[in-house]
C-alpha cells in the first residue's frame, strides 16, 4: 500500500502538506492541492484510519454485541442501528455472543482494545468479568432490551409487560380461558416482563393462572416446537397459546400441525416481535409488534449523544408495542375444544 511519504515525494510537497489536504486542516495552494490529489488517485493511497484515530482520539467506530444473529428480531434492530449510525458518521463492528456470557466478556475486551468510541450491548446474562469491564472502563455504552445488574448505562427497551398484556387480553376477548404461555429464558428481563403481562390480563379477567400452562423455552423455533408439544399433551388442553417470540410461535405452529390440529379453528396462536417472517407463516401469525427499527435508530442516537457528552443524565426509554391481527387466532369454539 502507498504511504503518505510516497505521496509527498511524488507530489513534491511535505508530508504535512499532504496531511492538510487530506484532513482539510489548513489552506494549501490550489496547485499543491491538485498535485497531491492527483498522486493520491494515481497511487490509490488510502489514509490510515488507525493513525487518524491516534491523533484525534476518535475512531468513529461503534462496537455492538448481540446474543444470536440467527434471530430475525436482532437483524431488524441492527438495521436501524446501522442506518442511523451511518448517517451520524459512525461504522459498526458486530459481534455475536451466541448467548455465552464468557464469549460476551471476551468480545467486550476485544472491542475495547480496538479503541471503539462506544459499545452497544444486548446482554446474554452477565458475569464478574463483564461487569468489571463495563464498570472499570470509561467507555460510553448503551444497553438494549436487557440490563446488566450493577452497570450504569443508557437503556433502550420495548414495553414487554404491555406486550404480554395485549397478547393475552386479545385472546381473552376472543373468548378463550384456557390460555397457555411459552416464555423465554427465566433469567432474561424481556421474558419476565411478558409473563407479567400475561398474568395481569388473566387476573383482570378473573382467570386463575395455571402453573402447568406456563412453559419456559429459549426463543428458538425448536424450543417453541418442544414447548408446544408439552402444552398440547395437557388435559385440559389449552385452546390458545401466547408464545413470547415469533420464532417459538412458528415452531409451535409446526408442532400443532404434526398433532393434527387446525389453526386457528382448534388452537389460536399469537407471537411476539412481528418479524418479517410472521406475515408468511402458515397461517400468517397474529403477533405483538415491537418497534424494532425505531429501537435501533434511537439506540444509535443515544449512543452518539453519550459519546459527545459523557455528562448527560442517563436515559431510560421504553417504547410501546402494538397488536397485529392476522389469521392464526380466532374466537373460542367450544365444539373444537379438547
Amino acid at each position: 500500500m502507498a504511504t503518505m511519504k510516497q505521496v509527498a515525494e511524488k507530489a513534491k510537497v511535505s508530508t504535512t502538506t499532504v496531511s492538510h489536504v487530506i484532513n482539510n486542516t489548513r489552506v494549501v495552494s490550489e496547485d499543491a492541492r491538485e498535485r497531491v490529489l492527483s498522486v493520491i488517485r494515481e497511487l490509490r493511497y488510502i489514509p490510515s484510519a488507525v493513525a487518524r484515530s491516534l491523533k484525534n482520539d476518535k475512531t468513529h467506530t461503534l462496537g455492538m454485541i448481540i446474543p444470536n444473529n440467527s434471530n430475525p428480531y436482532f437483524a431488524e434492530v441492527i438495521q436501524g442501528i446501522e442506518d442511523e449510525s451511518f448517517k451520524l458518521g459512525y461504522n459498526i463492528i458486530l459481534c455475536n455472543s451466541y448467548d455465552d456470557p464468557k464469549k460476551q466478556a471476551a468480545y467486550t475486551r476485544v472491542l475495547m482494545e480496538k479503541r471503539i468510541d462506544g459499545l452497544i450491548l444486548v446482554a446474554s446474562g452477565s458475569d464478574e468479568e463483564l461487569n468489571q469491564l463495563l464498570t472499570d472502563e470509561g467507555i460510553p455504552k448503551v444497553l438494549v432490551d436487557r440490563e446488566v445488574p450493577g452497570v450504569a448505562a443508557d437503556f433502550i427497551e420495548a414495553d414487554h409487560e404491555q406486550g404480554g398484556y395485549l397478547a393475552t387480553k386479545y385472546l381473552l376477548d376472543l373468548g378463550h380461558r384456557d390460555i397457555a404461555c411459552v416464555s423465554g429464558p427465566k433469567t432474561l428481563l424481556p421474558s419476565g416482563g411478558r409473563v407479567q403481562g400475561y398474568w395481569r390480563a388473566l387476573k383482570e379477567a378473573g382467570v386463575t393462572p395455571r402453573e402447568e400452562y406456563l412453559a419456559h423455552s429459549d426463543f428458538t423455533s425448536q424450543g417453541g416446537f418442544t414447548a408446544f408439544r408439552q402444552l398440547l399433551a395437557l388435559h385440559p388442553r389449552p385452546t390458545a397459546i401466547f408464545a413470547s417470540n415469533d420464532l417459538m410461535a412458528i415452531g409451535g405452529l409446526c408442532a400443532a400441525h404434526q398433532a393434527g390440529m387446525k389453526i386457528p379453528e382448534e388452537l389460536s396462536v399469537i407471537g411476539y416481535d412481528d418479524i418479517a417472517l410472521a406475515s408468511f407463516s402458515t397461517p400468517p401469525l397474529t403477533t405483538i409488534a415491537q418497534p424494532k427499527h425505531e429501537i435501533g435508530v434511537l439506540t444509535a442516537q443515544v449512543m452518539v449523544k453519550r459519546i459527545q457528552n459523557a455528562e448527560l443524565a442517563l436515559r431510560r426509554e421504553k417504547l410501546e408495542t402494538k397488536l397485529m391481527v392476522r389469521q392464526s387466532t380466532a374466537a373460542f369454539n367450544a365444539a373444537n375444544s379438547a
Side-chain angles (χ1 to χ4, degrees):
M1 293 179 63
T3 65
M4 184 181 291
K5 183 178 179 181
Q6 290 171 326
V7 172
E9 288 175 350
K10 187 151 190 172
K12 296 182 171 53
V13 297
S14 68
T15 54
T16 302
T17 298
V18 175
S19 175
H20 288 313
V21 170
I22 292 169
N23 297 304
N24 199 28
T25 49
R26 198 179 72 186
V27 175
V28 175
S29 71
E30 193 60 32
D31 177 61
R33 177 180 294 278
E34 285 301 320
R35 291 204 312 275
V36 169
L37 292 176
S38 176
V39 172
I40 285 174
R41 289 190 293 268
E42 179 185 344
L43 298 182
R44 298 182 180 179
Y45 170 70
I46 301 174
S48 169
V50 174
R52 240 187 290 183
S53 69
L54 289 172
K55 181 178 179 181
N56 302 326
D57 199 32
K58 294 291 181 187
T59 62
H60 288 275
T61 300
L62 305 178
M64 179 163 50
I65 305 175
I66 62 169
N68 190 340
N69 61 6
S70 66
N71 186 331
Y73 165 77
F74 293 119
E76 294 181 46
V77 172
I78 290 166
Q79 183 178 353
I81 292 172
E82 286 187 320
D83 288 348
E84 190 65 15
S85 297
F86 185 79
K87 290 178 185 177
L88 297 172
Y90 285 81
N91 302 308
I92 299 289
I93 298 176
L94 177 64
C95 300
N96 189 343
S97 70
Y98 292 101
D99 289 305
D100 182 346
K102 292 296 182 184
K103 182 174 286 188
Q104 175 179 254
Y107 274 137
T108 300
R109 186 178 297 280
V110 167
L111 289 170
M112 289 177 174
E113 290 172 353
K114 290 186 179 295
R115 299 175 59 86
I116 57 172
D117 293 341
L119 175 67
I120 297 169
L121 175 64
V122 185
S124 298
S126 63
D127 61 15
E128 185 177 344
E129 183 181 6
L130 176 70
N131 284 43
Q132 187 171 343
L133 280 169
L134 294 179
T135 303
D136 291 350
E137 298 290 339
I139 188 169
K141 46 196 168 284
V142 178
L143 304 179
V144 181
D145 227 23
R146 309 169 183 183
E147 290 188 279
V148 178
V151 174
D154 298 299
F155 182 49
I156 313 294
E157 66 171 336
D159 192 335
H160 302 294
E161 198 272 348
Q162 177 209 33
Y165 177 84
L166 288 175
T168 310
K169 186 176 186 306
Y170 178 66
L171 295 173
L172 289 163
D173 290 344
L174 289 174
H176 296 278
R177 290 298 179 268
D178 292 326
I179 302 172
C181 174
V182 179
S183 172
K186 294 180 181 180
T187 56
L188 296 182
L189 175 68
S191 301
R194 294 167 201 180
V195 171
Q196 289 293 331
Y198 162 72
W199 281 337
R200 178 162 69 92
L202 291 179
K203 291 174 182 177
E204 280 187 7
V207 176
T208 303
R210 299 175 57 167
E211 183 177 344
E212 66 271 26
Y213 275 7
L214 177 61
H216 290 279
S217 190
D218 59 0
F219 285 143
T220 68
S221 299
Q222 179 60 54
F225 177 86
T226 302
F228 268 63
R229 289 189 66 178
Q230 171 190 329
L231 292 169
L232 295 177
L234 296 174
H235 298 282
R237 187 175 66 198
T239 64
I241 299 179
F242 162 45
S244 55
N245 86 338
D246 287 345
L247 287 180
M248 294 193 298
I250 290 169
L253 292 176
C254 182
H257 174 73
Q258 287 192 9
M261 300 187 68
K262 295 179 180 179
I263 307 293
E265 293 86 352
E266 296 177 289
L267 178 72
S268 284
V269 177
I270 185 168
Y272 195 106
D273 284 339
D274 194 29
I275 60 176
L277 187 61
S279 297
F280 300 98
S281 63
T282 305
L285 185 66
T286 297
T287 187
I288 300 298
Q290 293 202 73
K292 299 173 289 299
H293 193 268
E294 185 181 350
I295 288 172
V297 169
L298 181 59
T299 296
Q301 291 172 345
V302 170
M303 180 83 269
V304 172
K305 287 180 180 178
R306 175 62 53 196
I307 291 168
Q308 293 171 342
N309 185 355
E311 303 303 317
L312 290 172
L314 292 179
R315 288 182 64 174
R316 295 182 65 88
E317 299 288 345
K318 185 176 287 190
L319 284 66
E320 291 190 356
T321 58
K322 64 180 181 180
L323 175 69
M324 303 294 292
V325 178
R326 298 192 180 101
Q327 284 85 58
S328 66
T329 47
F332 170 69
N333 185 340
N336 291 331
S337 63

